[in-house]
Amino acid sequence: MSKTRKRLQMIAVALFIGVNILLVYMDDDGKVDRIAYVSHWTAVFQSDLEKKIHTTGVLASAQENHVYFDPSTGSFEAFAVEEGSSVQAGDALFSYKVARYQEAMSKLLEKRTQLEEELAAVEQAMTQMTALQIPEVNLEADAGLEWTEEVLKITIPQDPVQANLVKQQFLLEKEKEAAQKQAALASVDRQLAELEETGDTITVESPYEGIITQLSEQLNDPIITVSGTELHVAGELTEQERVYVKKNLPVDMEVMELNKSLTGTVTQVSETPKEEAAAKTSSIYPFIIELKRANEQDAARDSADETEDNEQDKKTKDKKMEDQEQLQSATERELLSGYHVDIDIITDTSEEAPVLNEAAIFQKDAWKMTESGKVIRQQLTTGIEEGDRIEITSGLDIGDKVALQPESQLRSQAAFITPLKWENGFKRTMSPKGMNWFEFFVTGIVSR
């Protein structure tokens, strides 16, 4: 072959390739078939997603209780506690000498009568609620429990499970209230006995459990402040965060010092900024999270299912609840006011949602791999984003395959090919599951 002929062949090949490249480049109408090689792809999967606002907070006493002293009742004698000391309900706080014995005695007797009436009303409410029978099926209209106590009325939901939860929660609250009334009544009885014995001295006892956080030596009211043992989480929100946070949102938390997880609910969100708003400074909004008490909620939930439990199931649940109470109690004992907390406020949730990894989405579009063997550019509507997972609200369904190639390598309606892997391709073809390929091969040779 002459050199001239070789040169002509090389020029012809170069022209052929060049012309084809030019035609493909200038093919705006899609008349030239193209094949996309898709080496990596993924699928839309199902998952639960949560939209969260991350912030920080601090554990603080959920309640501050104040104790006062009225100088007109007598002369102050002495404190029985010091600032920083722990007190239980019924512990002595201070004592004073009464100015008028008969008047002091009359007031104590009047207070005793009032407490007895209040305790009787609480016990009556508990009796009526305990006797209330919850139907096993939904009611046509809301049932109601009503008794005379300043025209108090409790409404029971239609759903039997919810109704049992309401009933159990009511009884738990009333049991706590009854215990407080009984403790106050016992305290008044002790004061009456002390006054009768001494003739002029009354010791004021603490109606609360907690820590003495303030004690006024100058007898300025309140002379004693008792911070309760129950804790809540206090935090602050920026203006941007405040838009999304409202009451009753669930919260996940982590106590930094203890590496322990807590859950709770947003119970207060301030509608006014912490400090006076100014044009050139950002506003900060305080909020409060109430810690979830697992033992109370589990007790209410177990009560709702009590009619369906046999004796063995009930024993198992009782043991489980006892273990949970011990764990909860141990966790609460470790918590101290002032510990810092990482907070995730869950502002929105989506259960069993179609989800796609962020890497498969290109400017709100995805390259869908159809069953007909083509890739198409599919416009998406997205929802909640959690990490690198994004909810797909429209455009794709669970199980749809999506190419992970860069946009420059793909074209809508182009046929696609994928690499044939041994595990997914040749192996199944050469040796289908349940088939002895070698046995059939030898049989075929022998039969010849």
Side-chain angles (χ1 to χ4, degrees):
M1 183 182 295
S2 66
K3 291 182 179 182
T4 302
R5 188 175 180 182
K6 287 183 179 180
R7 286 195 187 99
L8 290 174
Q9 286 180 344
M10 291 176 64
I11 292 171
V13 170
L15 286 173
F16 177 78
I17 295 174
V19 169
N20 277 275
I21 292 174
L22 182 63
L23 289 174
V24 171
Y25 179 77
M26 298 177 63
D27 181 34
D28 295 329
D29 298 328
K31 296 179 180 179
V32 179
D33 292 335
R34 299 182 187 179
I35 296 178
Y37 178 72
V38 179
S39 58
H40 296 90
W41 64 91
T42 187
V44 180
F45 58 96
Q46 191 178 67
S47 182
D48 297 337
L49 294 179
E50 295 176 338
K51 185 178 181 180
K52 301 177 180 179
I53 290 178
H54 180 77
T55 184
T56 57
V58 64
L59 286 167
S61 176
Q63 187 175 12
E64 284 192 343
N65 304 295
H66 302 297
V67 180
Y68 301 87
F69 172 66
D70 184 1
S72 65
T73 60
S75 58
F76 185 87
E77 191 170 31
F79 285 109
V81 292
E82 296 179 351
E83 195 168 303
S85 58
S86 299
V87 293
Q88 301 291 326
D91 288 352
L93 294 178
F94 64 91
S95 60
Y96 68 96
K97 291 188 179 296
V98 300
R100 292 170 291 277
Y101 175 84
Q102 289 299 335
E103 183 179 336
M105 180 66 72
S106 176
K107 286 184 177 180
L108 285 174
L109 290 172
E110 183 181 345
K111 187 175 182 180
R112 188 179 193 280
T113 301
Q114 180 184 351
L115 285 170
E116 287 176 337
E117 291 174 353
E118 291 175 354
L119 179 59
V122 172
E123 291 175 343
Q124 181 186 3
M126 292 173 61
T127 300
Q128 291 183 2
M129 181 62 84
T130 302
L132 179 67
Q133 298 296 317
I134 304 296
E136 296 183 1
V137 296
N138 286 356
L139 303 174
E140 294 182 0
D142 284 348
L145 173 66
E146 186 176 359
W147 64 90
T148 304
E149 186 187 11
E150 297 182 354
V151 196
L152 182 61
K153 181 179 179 181
I154 299 298
T155 301
I156 305 299
Q158 294 178 344
D159 180 50
V161 174
Q162 293 298 323
N164 274 292
L165 289 174
V166 170
K167 177 179 178 179
Q168 186 65 18
Q169 186 63 34
F170 177 86
L171 290 174
L172 288 171
E173 291 174 358
K174 287 299 178 181
E175 285 174 3
K176 184 178 180 180
E177 186 178 349
Q180 292 172 344
K181 299 292 184 187
Q182 290 168 347
L185 187 59
S187 177
V188 170
D189 285 339
R190 286 191 291 269
Q191 288 179 341
L192 281 167
E194 181 184 17
L195 184 59
E196 288 179 348
E197 181 181 348
T198 63
D200 64 353
T201 302
I202 290 179
T203 298
V204 176
E205 299 176 352
S206 175
Y208 318 108
E209 177 185 356
I211 306 292
I212 305 296
T213 54
Q214 183 268 331
L215 187 148
S216 176
E217 297 286 353
Q218 293 76 29
L219 304 184
N220 297 323
D221 277 338
I223 63 170
I224 294 177
T225 299
V226 183
S227 294
T229 55
E230 289 191 10
L231 300 175
H232 64 199
V233 175
E236 297 177 346
L237 299 169
T238 64
E239 295 178 49
Q240 294 76 19
E241 294 168 338
R242 179 63 182 87
V243 174
Y244 301 100
V245 177
K246 57 185 178 180
K247 290 177 63 175
N248 300 321
L249 288 178
V251 183
D252 293 330
M253 293 167 284
E254 188 82 14
V255 183
M256 302 177 191
E257 286 82 355
L258 303 177
N259 194 27
K260 286 188 176 294
S261 298
L262 301 173
T263 57
T265 305
V266 176
T267 54
Q268 296 180 33
V269 189
S270 177
E271 295 184 357
T272 57
K274 181 180 178 181
E275 299 177 356
E276 186 176 353
K280 294 185 178 181
T281 59
S282 299
S283 298
I284 299 297
Y285 295 85
F287 70 96
I288 298 296
I289 298 170
E290 181 180 316
L291 300 180
K292 176 184 175 183
R293 299 185 62 83
N295 54 345
E296 291 183 3
Q297 296 205 11
D298 289 337
R301 191 178 299 108
D302 289 343
S303 174
D305 299 331
E306 186 175 352
T307 55
E308 301 177 6
D309 294 337
N310 57 36
E311 189 63 28
Q312 185 61 37
D313 289 340
K314 192 173 186 303
K315 288 180 179 179
T316 303
K317 284 190 173 183
D318 289 343
K319 179 64 169 62
K320 179 183 177 182
M321 192 169 73
E322 182 181 347
D323 293 342
Q324 288 175 334
E325 287 178 355
Q326 291 176 354
L327 180 62
Q328 177 81 5
S329 178
T331 300
E332 289 176 353
R333 285 196 299 270
E334 293 182 55
L335 299 178
L336 294 177
S337 180
Y339 281 0
H340 286 77
V341 179
D342 274 329
I343 300 171
D344 283 320
I345 303 174
I346 303 170
T347 60
D348 196 8
T349 60
S350 183
E351 297 182 355
E352 299 181 351
V355 176
L356 198 58
N357 288 325
E358 184 180 12
I361 300 176
F362 305 93
Q363 299 178 352
K364 298 294 183 180
D365 292 336
W367 291 98
K368 180 180 178 181
M369 302 164 64
T370 66
E371 293 182 358
S372 61
K374 295 190 175 184
V375 289
I376 60 172
R377 190 185 186 98
Q378 182 69 50
Q379 188 173 8
L380 306 177
T381 304
T382 59
I384 295 175
E385 298 183 16
E386 183 180 350
D388 62 350
R389 300 183 302 158
I390 299 177
E391 178 188 13
I392 306 301
T393 56
S394 67
L396 292 172
D397 297 320
I398 296 171
D400 285 347
K401 302 292 190 301
V402 175
L404 293 175
Q405 309 298 108
E407 290 186 271
S408 59
Q409 299 181 16
L410 300 172
R411 174 178 173 173
S412 190
Q413 297 298 332
F416 69 87
I417 58 173
T418 59
L420 187 60
K421 299 179 182 180
W422 170 252
E423 291 294 328
N424 298 328
F426 287 119
K427 185 177 180 180
R428 293 183 182 178
T429 303
M430 301 300 293
S431 182
K433 186 176 180 181
M435 180 183 294
N436 190 334
W437 180 86
F438 182 74
E439 179 181 343
F440 285 107
F441 177 74
V442 174
T443 302
I445 295 176
V446 172
S447 64
R448 297 272 179 181

